[in-house]
Amino acid sequence: MAPPLTFPALHASHAGIWIASPDGETRRVGKAEAVARAAETPHIMLNAPLVAQRLGYAELSGLDLLELFAFVHPARFVVPTAKGMAEVLKIPPPTGEGDHAEHGGGAQAGSSAIASQGYTPVPLHHPAGGPSPRSGEEFIASLLQTGTQTLLCTLTNPAWPEREGAWDAAQALTRLRWPWARAVSEQLPKPSEKERWLFSKLPEWEEAAPRTPPRSVVLDRVAVETQLARLTGSGAEVREGQRAFAGAAAHIFDPRVRKGEPNMLLAEAGTGIGKTLGYLAPASLWALQADGAVWISTYTKALQRQLVSEARRVYPDATQFKEKVVVRKGRENYLCLLNLEDALQGGFAGRAAILAHLVARWAAYTADGDMIGGDLPGWLPTLFRRNGSTALTDRRGECIYAGCPHYRKCFIERAARASAQADIVIANHALMMVNAARGREEASRPTRIIFDEGHHLFDAADSTFAAALTGAEMVEIRRWVIGPEGKARGRRRGLSARLADVASYDEAGGLAIEAARYAAEALPGDGWLGRVGEGMPSGPAERLLSAVRTTVYARDEGQAESGYGLETEYANLDPHLIEAIAEMMKALEALAKPLTVLGQRLEALVEEAPDWLDGAARARIEGAMASLGWRADTLRGWIALLGRGGGPVDPDFVDWLAVDRGEGREYDIGIHRHWLDPTRPVSSVVLKPVHGVLTTSATLRSGGDWDTAEARTGARHLDHGAQHFSAPSPFNYAEQAEVLVVTDIPRGDMAALAGAYAALISASQGGALGLFTAIKRLRIVHSRIADRLARDGLPLYAQHVDPIDTGTLVDIFRDDPHSSLLGTDALRDGMDVPGHSLRLVVMEQVPWPRPDILHKARRLAGGGTDYDDRIIRSRLAQAFGRLIRKADDKGHFVLLSSATPSRLLTAFPEGTRINRVTLDEAVLRIKSGLSPATIFGQGSAEEIEDEDIPF
């Protein structure tokens, strides 16, 4: 029986604001009344931060239905919209809008046009002037009341699967004054027996014998085809491109001929080939026959999720799947149980403490403890704004390993051990490179690697192998060595606390710890940014940062007013900066020396193995050694970077000084170093040690040729060349897609740009992805068109505007075929949305590379304009790839740049229709569908080759 509803509900969007009273009346109100009512009485709402933004009232608080859902159904997916909530909670729809009018718009009627609103995908060929979608906005407030009743009723259901732990969590949340606590406690029956504490009921991982090296086998190509047929299913259409791809991929599993010379295949497989199953077929067959693990690395979380789904075809039995397939991510992605315990026992306060208890509810039911991209709802941390979620993961490398009371239940350790016994390990490019560079998990180092989304290898390597001597990085080193200072709270421990037993047993080790602690005081402390900005630096590190800041601003040529980051070459340095560099080098050397000695003492301690060094202590010491090692490497890299100051340029690296800013606010200062070609270390530490590597992507050649692919993947640094394979997409792009280059939107005219986006989205009736190269322009366009589109039943969401994480924005966009989404680079690649929800891609301009110091150096080394063109064509191809994902998808790709050079239009698949049109013509084409067009490219009479190039 549903509890009596005593709360009003509030819904606010760009289309308007509605309040539903407890007695069933729903009415539209203005912002002033909504704010006043919400401040006076707690209202049910969906995503309070988003509602607060819509109302322009940042301090809004109330009864967020998403928080209640996270308590009742932890680790369960829901799209955080009224429609998504209604579908998951199975709220039955009313009989129609007439009922709403007749019965006064009660809560039951509130789900009309939301929970069951039918939708017929808008085809590319549809009649102009078709009907606009119903928004259903007026029903949402009352639907929130229905959702509340449904969730509260669940608490009394004997079959509720997430009951364990709920009572204790509710009592703790009551003490924290959680807005839902009273309503939950009134419905939640007290358990007859005391509930188990979270940390006592989590399962423990078990040690397993080291896995033997994989056997040397040669895959039979007929067997590979048979495995592929099994995975695709007996009734599936035979795709020759997929069969050829699977056969080519089998080559990487052959035994290598010489050490340091892996069997490497570069494979460009067009969209629709089915490359995932194409490489899973030989990979799973080799894992079975050789008893080895294949690591499959991706760049985006979306592809990781897709891989998990496809891998179930290989291992349909759930128990076998859990044993054979493991997802691995970096440590910073997983919940740290020691951090959570600290948060639950007083380390967090206020809203952050409420978040910690909701995360604890989730921790009891999660599959793997992955907080970023796993089964923790991506929207949950955003409900608490900046309060606490990152502090629940191991982001500072402070893990104490076996010294942790929860070590045997640690999600990170469980994943690492499971991957050592798995057949298929799904990871990401960053983890692959970090593990290889730092020598992690040597015993289970992969011999066969598949890099999907291989066109991102260069970018991943560029980030992994870079060095940054900045204030923020130095603060982290100081905290790791010294521990908490002043009024700092939390479980952070310095070296002396983590290695107290070592200091008491080994005098030399204890002296090294004390020396390191003293030397670390030269690094920036809390408040460094303010002191540097005020010209009052303290210590050698802050004096260096101050000198860097002065040099950067002195050399600025008018960019300071933009509010964005500033940089200058690390060359021709003034005496003041050179003096600061020399002082800083001495400070870093003073820190590096005792850390090196400490590492040596720890190695000796493990070798001597005193009586007190049991298995747990050994694991803790070995963990400390690994952490010491990479921090010592970091310090050596910084010393080398400083040693270059005032000296000759190292041709292998690009160095520069920078002041990092966002919207006019400084947030970091320092010296940066990147490899000119970051695939060189990739080749050395990732590729050469393994036996076989497949690097694949739909855009692997990045708008160039195979030389480009070899340069961007590290293959050109191998002693013998990689094999090449290509298979074009099977899609009929001439019938499925059209590219429109709009010629009458003046550059810099924001009113015209916003009007163009509004007209195009309206013509498509939503389902549009808008891509921007600048956040400022994105925000301006969104602010000008969101209200008018919403009034037409076309909701518009945006990165950097809506307080929602990117993954959740994509989920909302995918779930509502009439919604549209504006975003930047993160949405250009790796987003998989079905055709009925994505039928229009609009780019505001040609995605020129940002002409910063690093790009200029690579441009000079890579061929000048040709280098730029390859990057641009790759970006265009990746953006276009979001549009056509299946054989029945159709859509338009619009580029709002009249001066687009024709040579760049070869980025699109062969056969794609390309037209230069006015905005009005583009709108008509989108409304009416494809029409005959002239395909033009390099030889077009309308060529524009040199305009609008920012160099």
Side-chain angles (χ1 to χ4, degrees), residues 67-361:
E67 290 183 30
L68 180 60
F69 185 91
F71 178 89
V72 178
H73 296 303
R76 189 177 299 191
F77 176 79
V78 63
V79 177
T81 60
K83 176 176 179 287
M85 189 68 72
E87 289 174 346
V88 169
L89 297 182
K90 297 181 172 58
I91 297 175
T95 55
E97 290 186 50
D99 289 349
H100 180 272
E102 182 178 343
H103 298 295
Q108 178 66 20
S111 57
S112 175
I114 304 294
S116 65
Q117 178 179 345
Y119 174 72
T120 302
V122 178
L124 201 57
H125 300 277
H126 61 82
S132 296
R134 285 187 306 174
S135 70
E137 298 261 14
E138 64 271 25
F139 304 122
I140 291 179
S142 54
L143 182 143
L144 301 183
Q145 295 173 317
T146 303
T148 298
Q149 290 180 308
T150 302
L151 287 170
L152 293 177
C153 280
T154 301
L155 302 178
T156 63
N157 185 347
W160 177 35
E162 299 103 338
R163 176 176 299 281
E164 185 175 15
W167 171 263
D168 285 344
Q171 303 314 300
L173 288 165
T174 298
R175 292 190 291 272
L176 293 170
R177 299 183 179 182
W178 183 42
W180 285 110
R182 181 178 177 182
V184 167
S185 297
E186 289 175 351
Q187 293 300 118
L188 193 61
K190 184 175 181 178
S192 57
E193 298 181 358
K194 184 176 176 59
E195 294 183 318
R196 293 181 297 165
W197 196 34
L198 167 68
F199 302 104
S200 66
K201 63 187 176 185
L202 288 175
E204 293 188 349
W205 49 261
E206 297 180 354
E207 290 283 9
R211 193 170 187 174
T212 57
R215 294 185 293 272
S216 293
V217 299
V218 176
L219 296 181
D220 179 77
R221 298 319 192 245
V222 175
V224 171
E225 290 190 8
T226 302
Q227 177 77 333
L228 177 62
R230 183 180 77 81
L231 298 183
T232 56
S234 57
E237 176 186 357
V238 175
R239 289 186 274 186
E240 290 302 325
Q242 186 183 50
R243 289 180 59 187
F245 177 71
H251 162 71
I252 74 162
F253 299 101
D254 292 344
R256 65 180 178 183
V257 177
R258 279 178 293 276
K259 188 173 183 177
E261 297 184 4
N263 300 316
M264 186 170 187
L265 175 68
L266 302 180
E268 185 171 80
T271 305
I273 285 293
K275 68 176 183 298
T276 304
L277 291 181
Y279 59 64
L280 276 176
S284 58
L285 194 62
W286 179 84
L288 175 66
Q289 295 181 6
D291 189 24
V294 180
W295 283 58
I296 304 174
S297 178
T298 76
Y299 190 72
T300 62
K301 296 182 181 71
L303 184 55
Q304 278 196 336
R305 289 193 291 267
Q306 180 185 332
L307 272 169
V308 170
S309 176
E310 297 284 26
R312 295 186 188 279
R313 299 196 190 196
V314 182
Y315 309 104
D317 177 76
T319 301
Q320 187 186 34
F321 177 85
K322 190 174 181 179
E323 295 174 353
K324 298 292 187 181
V325 180
V326 173
V327 177
R328 287 290 307 277
K329 295 182 180 179
R331 302 181 67 88
E332 67 278 2
N333 289 273
Y334 295 93
L335 173 67
C336 170
L337 294 175
L338 191 57
N339 282 353
L340 177 62
E341 182 182 19
D342 177 71
L344 296 176
Q345 294 183 345
F348 283 13
R351 289 281 291 165
I354 293 172
L355 172 62
H357 281 276
L358 292 178
V359 169
R361 283 279 292 152

Side-chain angles (χ1 to χ4, degrees), residues 358-433:
L358 292 178
V359 169
R361 283 279 292 152
W362 162 80
Y365 296 94
T366 177
D368 56 11
D370 180 4
M371 292 188 68
I372 304 173
D375 52 14
L376 179 76
W379 42 259
L380 181 59
T382 66
L383 301 182
F384 295 82
R385 298 176 174 92
R386 299 178 181 177
N387 287 316
S389 62
T390 57
L392 295 175
T393 63
D394 179 26
R395 288 186 171 271
R396 300 185 183 94
E398 295 173 337
C399 180
I400 57 177
Y401 298 90
C404 175
H406 310 302
Y407 181 64
R408 293 299 302 273
K409 299 180 179 184
C410 174
F411 291 116
I412 303 168
E413 296 297 328
R414 180 183 295 127
R417 281 158 178 77
S419 65
Q421 304 299 321
D423 284 358
I424 303 293
V425 181
I426 301 170
N428 57 64
H429 297 349
L431 179 67
M432 298 295 298
M433 293 180 189

Side-chain angles (χ1 to χ4, degrees), residues 441-787:
E441 303 175 25
E442 286 290 338
S444 58
R445 188 165 186 159
T447 64
R448 302 305 193 283
I449 301 175
I450 296 172
F451 286 110
D452 204 339
E453 297 180 311
H455 59 280
H456 279 303
L457 266 181
F458 188 95
D459 299 322
D462 195 27
S463 175
T464 302
F465 296 104
L469 175 55
T470 70
E473 293 294 322
M474 287 191 281
V475 164
E476 289 303 321
I477 294 284
R478 177 183 175 123
R479 288 172 177 169
W480 179 80
V481 175
I482 297 177
E485 300 178 84
K487 298 180 180 180
R489 300 179 62 186
R491 73 164 185 88
R492 183 182 298 127
R493 301 290 183 267
L495 276 179
S496 58
R498 290 198 298 272
L499 298 174
D501 49 359
V502 174
S504 63
Y505 175 80
D506 184 87
E507 182 180 1
L511 291 173
I513 291 172
E514 187 58 31
R517 190 189 187 287
Y518 176 78
E521 292 180 355
L523 301 179
D526 291 339
W528 70 270
L529 196 58
R531 291 190 295 273
V532 169
E534 293 167 2
M536 301 176 62
S538 173
E542 292 185 16
R543 283 193 287 272
L544 171 68
L545 297 174
S546 179
V548 167
R549 181 178 185 272
T550 298
T551 300
V552 171
Y553 276 100
R555 296 182 181 181
D556 172 56
E557 297 181 358
Q559 296 300 313
E561 299 303 318
S562 70
Y564 296 107
L566 302 174
E567 62 182 24
T568 190
E569 289 85 355
Y570 187 40
N572 302 315
L573 307 181
D574 65 83
H576 179 62
L577 180 52
I578 292 176
E579 181 180 338
I581 287 172
E583 184 186 16
M584 189 65 212
M585 284 183 67
K586 292 179 181 179
L588 291 178
E589 288 166 351
L591 177 57
K593 184 177 179 179
L595 291 182
T596 301
V597 171
L598 179 58
Q600 293 169 348
R601 297 311 304 161
L602 293 180
E603 288 181 11
L605 188 66
V606 171
E607 291 175 2
E608 295 168 5
D611 294 340
W612 58 267
L613 193 70
D614 57 14
R618 176 185 289 272
R620 180 169 53 83
I621 298 299
E622 289 175 344
M625 289 166 55
S627 192
L628 266 172
W630 74 262
R631 283 179 171 82
D633 288 343
T634 298
L635 291 175
R636 283 191 286 269
W638 287 352
I639 292 169
L641 178 56
L642 289 175
R644 221 280 292 155
V649 173
D650 188 328
D652 291 334
F653 297 99
V654 182
D655 305 329
W656 68 95
L657 313 177
V659 176
D660 296 323
R661 306 188 305 169
E663 299 182 355
R665 183 183 65 85
E666 294 179 12
Y667 60 87
D668 207 0
I669 302 168
I671 308 173
H672 296 261
R673 162 168 282 189
H674 282 237
W675 283 82
L676 182 64
D677 178 5
T679 66
R680 289 183 59 186
V682 170
S683 174
S684 299
V685 304
V686 180
L687 302 182
K688 289 183 179 180
V690 302
H691 293 234
V693 183
L694 165 63
T695 303
T696 184
S697 165
T699 57
L700 190 64
R701 285 178 276 189
S702 300
D705 52 20
W706 285 115
D707 287 341
T708 302
E710 296 218 350
R712 302 283 291 185
T713 61
R716 74 175 179 184
H717 300 299
L718 297 177
D719 293 334
H720 72 107
Q723 294 189 10
H724 301 157
F725 172 87
S726 64
S729 170
F731 297 151
N732 185 350
Y733 287 105
E735 296 296 329
Q736 292 181 249
E738 184 176 23
V739 174
L740 302 174
V741 181
V742 175
T743 59
D744 57 348
I745 305 300
R747 183 173 182 177
D749 187 336
M750 294 308 303
L753 182 65
Y757 266 96
L760 294 168
I761 292 171
S762 295
S764 184
Q765 290 293 281
L769 174 64
L771 297 174
F772 288 77
T773 59
I775 296 173
K776 182 178 180 180
R777 289 194 292 272
L778 180 155
R779 288 172 171 165
I780 292 173
V781 168
H782 179 272
S783 67
R784 291 185 179 220
I785 68 175
D787 288 356

